[in-house]
Amino acid sequence: MLRITGVILTVASFFVLGEYFGAKVDLRCSQLSEIRLGIGFLRGDMEFNLSPAAVSAEKISERLNEPVKGIFKDFSERLKAGETIEKAWIRALTGCYEKTFFKAEDIEALYPLGKIIECLDIEKQDRGLKLITDYIEEKTNELKTELYRVRRLYRSFSVLTGLLASVLLL
């Protein structure tokens, strides 16, 4: 009876671990969508309301979910402290990196946003923001198509690993 309980607990533990790794892809996808939404809000607020970036970022942070909310809030606070837009954006991204499920390639693709916002030419801002949102949209679509396959892979692998560990422990 004790062995059966041990096998069940081992397999369940590995299954939960597999679900965690499968959920990371889903969380990355949702956080990328959230930051795309924030960039869209920032673009609209700066363009139509002619708000400064610090005020826009603070307003936007109230409309977003964590941890993306923290990125925009940190960005706003750094701008109010007197940092340049580019430095404030890069530091806000890197400061909140551990709280997100972003990969290094996502952060690198988001770095130019500070330079784009700092640019005075509205046409260049628009093109730059479109490039960043296009990257995010492409990566999100990629992750959505990959999500089902990855989740299935992690589930199968985790259950098989749990069974193997149980056999080895018996």
Side-chain angles (χ1 to χ4, degrees):
M1 186 67 170
L2 191 58
R3 286 183 182 192
I4 294 173
T5 305
V7 168
I8 291 172
L9 286 175
T10 303
V11 172
S13 298
F14 276 96
F15 179 75
V16 168
L17 193 61
E19 281 296 306
Y20 168 75
F21 285 111
K24 282 176 65 173
V25 175
D26 190 29
L27 290 170
R28 178 180 172 213
C29 184
S30 67
Q31 287 176 359
L32 280 171
S33 296
E34 189 80 13
I35 204 157
R36 188 176 110 227
L37 184 67
I39 291 170
F41 286 153
L42 184 66
R43 179 180 173 194
D45 198 47
M46 288 174 60
E47 188 175 323
F48 297 117
N49 295 336
L50 300 173
S51 301
V55 174
S56 295
E58 187 174 7
K59 279 193 249 178
I60 290 163
S61 71
E62 295 168 1
R63 300 168 75 181
L64 300 173
N65 298 322
E66 286 294 340
V68 175
K69 176 181 188 172
I71 294 171
F72 281 93
K73 189 154 190 71
D74 190 28
F75 177 55
S76 172
E77 289 169 1
R78 289 178 185 279
L79 287 176
K80 288 178 182 176
E83 287 187 32
T84 64
I85 293 175
E86 182 182 4
K87 281 186 179 180
W89 178 250
I90 290 173
R91 288 186 179 167
L93 272 177
T94 54
C96 296
Y97 178 69
E98 286 94 27
K99 298 175 188 171
T100 66
F101 288 96
F102 295 145
K103 289 193 173 182
E105 67 187 54
D106 301 330
I107 297 296
E108 286 179 23
L110 292 171
Y111 274 165
L113 183 68
K115 278 185 183 177
I116 292 168
I117 294 171
E118 217 166 35
C119 181
L120 295 176
D121 186 9
I122 293 174
E123 190 176 306
K124 284 183 182 179
Q125 276 184 350
D126 201 39
R127 277 186 279 154
L129 291 172
K130 177 132 177 59
L131 282 172
I132 290 175
T133 54
D134 286 349
Y135 165 80
I136 293 172
E137 191 172 330
E138 178 184 324
K139 190 54 79 174
T140 304
N141 290 337
E142 221 176 87
L143 289 172
K144 283 179 183 175
T145 57
E146 183 183 316
L147 183 63
Y148 175 73
R149 185 184 57 79
V150 167
R151 273 215 158 141
R152 228 176 80 205
L153 174 75
Y154 278 122
R155 282 182 185 150
S156 301
F157 184 69
S158 64
V159 169
L160 289 174
T161 306
L163 289 172
L164 178 66
S166 297
V167 168
L168 291 174
L169 291 174
L170 291 178

